[in-house]
Amino acid sequence: MASHIVGYPRMGPKRELKFALESFWDKKSSAEDLKKVAADLRSSIWKQMSGAGIKYIPSNTFSYYDQVLDTTSMLGAVPPRYNWTGGEIGYDTYFSMARGNASVPAMEMTKWFDTNYHFIVPELGPDVKFSYASHKAVDEFKEAKALGVDTVPVLIGPVSYLLLSKPAKGVEKTFSLLSLLPKIIPIYKEVISELKAAGASWIQFDEPTLVLDLDSQQLQAFTAAYADLESTLSGLNVLIETYFADLTPEAYKTLIGLKGVTAYGLDLVRGTQTSDLVKKDFPKGKYLFAGVVDGRNIWANDLASSLSTLQALEAVVGKDKLVVSTSCSLLHTAVDLVNETKLDDEIKSWLAFAAQKVVEVNALAKALAGQKDEAFFSSNAAAQASRKSSPRVTNAAVQKAADALKGSDHRRATNVSARLDAQQKKLNLPILPTTTIGSFPQTVELRRVRREFKANKISEDDYVKAIEEEIKKVVNLQEELDIDVLVHGEPERNDMVEYFGEQLSGFAFTVNGWVQSYGSRCVKPPIIYGDVSRPKAMTVFWSSTAQSMTKRPMKGMLTGPVTILNWSFVRNDQPRYA
């Protein structure tokens, strides 16, 4: 039984790529230095997967900034403002598109579906002259091959690329981006031909937009694209990978009808209904890459449950046609649990980061093939049972309070006009009061103070005094500017989510659980492992301290619960709404 990984984190277990990129951007290191760090990371990732027994190992999922920007480079779709004159796209043009430069702004960035990763949005129009301008996919396939690792090169599919694009400035908003399909398909054909010549036997097209609510014209674009590519793809095994949600019946029908396609990758974690479509109608002789290991969260897989799911699918698609996979790229999870030295053993036993998920995928594949690692499965079952029964997960007081909630508890007892009248009598604000969002810039000195206090290098009294001095500066500045409603500047806060999570029960924090948000920007999401409660007041001391420094109203600053939820690794043992 075979195993597959959709994609893998690029930053490295200790954010090696982040530091290499920022050093290069600051002109403290050379392009060759950056290339070496990148090559070392790729080599390590490929060898890790190969050593774990993964059969279908992805290449071209590494990126210096973003995989969609890599595709824009491959297609030579550089906006005119970057003054690119043709040829292979180098660092200058690539990073100018990503980050802007002294004379022109960067391209727009937006969220990759409903994840916290952000991609660079292509800017397209009828006058774009596409050309094969980045050979990265082929180069990285050859690089892996030279290391003795046979990989599956991964490309953003042509239809998803266009559907994720936007009309360039000056182009009508009604311009049909899909009308550019005949112009980009020839570039894809060149890439495919080079990959075949280099010895590729499989190729993966990521077409995640298939999970969106697409109309018949958009679905027809997939049919047309792969019909056009069919002859070029001849001789290759072709995997179309989808993720993040269920496919509609219409999208599923389109997917399994695509010409020249050998295999279909489906997210069976978030796509809770997709397996029903497979069981109802799956084309004979095709491969199913079953995404049963969650690529978007950090919980250890319930191996027994996943094995049961896989066995049911095996009866439908055939023993030799089922491949165990991740639900999506592991880009969206932390890199390696081995680097977490401060998590206690119980919580750690419940988790699996990217490196551990690779092992889980292979363990499931071996179990399906009759080579079940009984000790590994037994340990996993014990961890699952521990998590379900741990008193740290279930808080009786929280459960009781939640059960007692009524619909009326979600609504204010007084109407808006009454509240506005009361507020005006209390605050006496002008018709258009001025204020700011909340946080002021944090200096190097301020971060040093927080760091030293956390490391017990300065006393609490010294820390409080330093923070009070910073708040006083912020208050004085706002009063000088005649701001009506003041803020305290949040000098005591490290991160708008982590600060609150550290003061709530049911949260755990990692040391190296970094996840790429965009470019070199990484975040370290908290882990919500149990019922959440507030043991004591979180903001009252600093808000009241700030209010004592002024007669003007001082806002209390709270990160909202939805933001905390969306910026954390959340529990998977209950619905998100709970």
Side-chain angles (χ1 to χ4, degrees):
M1 192 60 61
S3 52
H4 166 253
I5 304 296
V6 177
Y8 201 82
R10 310 140 179 171
M11 282 292 127
K14 299 285 184 70
R15 294 181 292 164
E16 291 87 346
L17 182 60
K18 168 190 172 66
F19 299 121
L21 282 167
E22 292 173 356
S23 176
F24 174 71
W25 293 336
D26 291 340
K27 300 188 183 340
K28 294 177 180 176
S29 59
S30 68
E32 291 307 312
D33 294 331
L34 177 58
K35 287 177 182 176
K36 184 179 187 311
V37 171
D40 288 346
L41 285 171
R42 289 192 296 268
S43 172
S44 173
I45 291 166
W46 291 326
K47 289 178 179 178
Q48 173 194 343
M49 287 194 235
S50 179
I54 301 299
K55 181 175 181 180
Y56 299 113
I57 298 170
S59 61
N60 198 41
T61 58
F62 174 87
S63 178
Y64 285 107
Y65 208 94
D66 164 53
Q67 69 268 20
V68 180
L69 181 61
D70 292 348
T71 309
T72 294
S73 297
M74 181 185 84
L75 297 171
V78 181
R81 65 180 177 275
Y82 299 107
N83 297 317
W84 176 63
T85 56
E88 188 80 4
I89 290 175
Y91 285 155
D92 284 350
T93 301
Y94 182 84
F95 288 128
S96 290
M97 289 192 287
R99 308 175 69 236
N101 57 42
S103 57
V104 293
M107 296 169 70
E108 180 189 338
M109 184 168 60
T110 196
K111 277 198 170 190
W112 179 245
F113 295 81
D114 62 344
T115 73
N116 286 325
Y117 176 78
H118 300 72
F119 74 96
I120 303 296
V121 182
E123 302 172 11
L124 305 178
D127 298 328
V128 175
K129 300 292 190 292
F130 295 100
S131 63
Y132 186 12
S134 171
H135 293 66
K136 176 179 175 294
V138 179
D139 291 343
E140 290 186 12
F141 174 80
K142 291 179 177 177
E143 183 182 325
K145 193 174 182 181
L147 294 169
V149 182
D150 188 25
T151 61
V152 178
V154 179
L155 301 174
I156 299 288
V159 183
S160 288
Y161 176 77
L162 293 177
L163 290 176
L164 293 168
S165 301
K166 70 172 187 177
K169 188 176 180 180
V171 175
E172 291 290 332
K173 299 297 182 187
T174 56
F175 173 71
S176 171
L177 293 161
L178 289 175
S179 69
L180 298 173
L181 200 53
K183 293 186 177 182
I184 68 170
I185 289 294
I187 314 298
Y188 275 89
K189 288 181 177 179
E190 287 188 72
V191 180
I192 293 164
S193 296
E194 286 195 6
L195 287 168
K196 284 169 69 173
S201 57
W202 278 83
I203 187 168
Q204 174 180 320
F205 290 99
D206 281 8
E207 292 282 14
T209 56
L210 272 166
V211 305
L212 301 178
D213 187 13
L214 303 178
D215 60 35
S216 58
Q217 181 188 7
Q218 292 168 323
L219 290 173
Q220 176 58 32
F222 288 94
T223 302
Y226 288 92
D228 198 353
L229 289 171
E230 183 181 13
S231 61
T232 309
L233 290 169
S234 177
L236 280 172
N237 290 295
V238 179
L239 166 62
I240 305 295
E241 187 67 49
T242 70
Y243 36 78
F244 298 150
D246 277 307
L247 294 171
T248 64
E250 295 77 15
Y252 179 74
K253 185 177 180 181
T254 298
L255 173 65
I256 63 175
L258 296 179
K259 300 285 189 183
V261 174
T262 316
Y264 315 105
L266 303 176
D267 182 341
L268 301 181
V269 176
R270 295 217 166 199
T272 55
Q273 308 300 316
T274 298
S275 59
D276 293 337
L277 295 172
V278 172
K279 292 170 185 175
K280 185 177 179 181
D281 181 22
F282 191 80
K284 190 173 181 179
K286 302 293 186 180
Y287 289 84
L288 172 62
F289 282 56
V292 294
V293 173
D294 194 350
R296 289 186 57 175
N297 217 324
I298 41 66
W299 302 108
N301 187 271
D302 185 338
L303 296 178
S305 176
S306 292
L307 185 57
S308 176
T309 298
L310 290 164
Q311 287 167 337
L313 292 169
E314 184 182 60
V316 176
V317 306
K319 195 175 187 70
D320 62 335
K321 298 298 181 184
L322 184 64
V323 178
V324 183
S325 185
T326 52
S327 65
C328 62
S329 173
L330 297 176
L331 172 70
H332 309 289
T333 190
V335 181
D336 196 341
L337 195 56
V338 168
N339 297 311
E340 296 307 320
T341 55
K342 294 187 178 180
L343 279 174
D344 71 68
D345 289 341
E346 183 181 35
I347 291 178
K348 201 170 179 179
S349 74
W350 302 341
L351 307 179
F353 290 0
Q356 288 69 46
K357 289 176 186 290
V358 169
V359 175
E360 290 179 338
V361 167
N362 197 57
L364 286 166
K366 288 175 69 177
L368 269 178
Q371 303 168 33
K372 186 177 179 182
D373 185 334
E374 295 292 350
F376 188 72
F377 270 69
S378 177
S379 174
N380 175 265
Q384 297 294 322
S386 160
R387 185 177 165 212
K388 286 177 183 175
S389 62
S390 174
R392 303 171 70 176
V393 172
T394 304
N395 182 317
V398 173
Q399 296 283 331
K400 183 178 179 181
D403 290 341
L405 285 173
K406 305 183 295 292
S408 58
D409 292 325
H410 299 282
R411 296 186 295 273
R412 302 277 187 97
T414 55
N415 61 38
V416 174
S417 59
R419 295 200 305 273
L420 287 173
D421 287 343
Q423 288 166 8
Q424 187 56 24
K425 287 175 183 176
K426 173 82 172 175
L427 303 176
N428 193 31
L429 295 172
I431 295 174
L432 289 174
T434 56
T435 189
T436 68
I437 290 175
S439 57
F440 272 55
Q442 299 212 349
T443 63
V444 172
E445 175 63 17
L446 188 56
R447 288 186 174 127
R448 182 192 63 77
V449 168
R450 273 208 319 268
R451 189 169 58 248
E452 289 185 352
F453 176 59
K454 200 168 187 178
N456 296 315
K457 292 182 178 179
I458 60 173
S459 69
E460 184 173 1
D461 286 345
D462 288 340
Y463 171 72
V464 169
K465 183 180 178 182
I467 298 298
E468 284 178 340
E469 288 175 359
E470 185 66 24
I471 292 173
K472 185 62 178 173
K473 290 179 190 174
V474 168
V475 169
N476 290 343
L477 174 62
Q478 291 172 94
E479 288 186 332
E480 288 171 16
L481 296 171
D482 201 23
I483 301 295
D484 297 306
V485 180
L486 309 191
V487 298
H488 76 289
E490 305 178 16
E492 78 284 8
R493 303 185 189 182
N494 47 1
D495 173 88
M496 64 185 294
V497 172
E498 187 171 340
Y499 177 78
F500 288 96
E502 286 176 336
Q503 301 183 74
L504 295 167
S505 66
F507 278 77
F509 295 87
T510 62
V511 175
N512 287 296
W514 299 99
V515 180
Q516 185 182 16
S517 177
Y518 62 88
S520 68
R521 166 72 173 165
C522 299
V523 293
K524 193 153 55 71
I527 298 168
I528 304 176
Y529 66 84
D531 292 340
V532 176
S533 64
R534 180 179 58 120
K536 60 182 181 180
M538 300 185 290
T539 63
V540 172
F541 175 77
W542 293 117
S543 292
S544 57
T545 296
Q547 184 64 78
S548 70
M549 298 176 180
T550 180
K551 293 182 179 180
R552 301 188 186 205
M554 178 68 62
K555 281 195 294 189
M557 309 300 298
L558 299 172
T559 301
V562 175
T563 296
I564 290 177
L565 187 73
N566 286 338
W567 287 14
S568 301
F569 287 126
V570 300
R571 295 170 63 173
N572 64 350
D573 59 346
Q574 60 183 25
R576 287 178 76 86
Y577 65 79

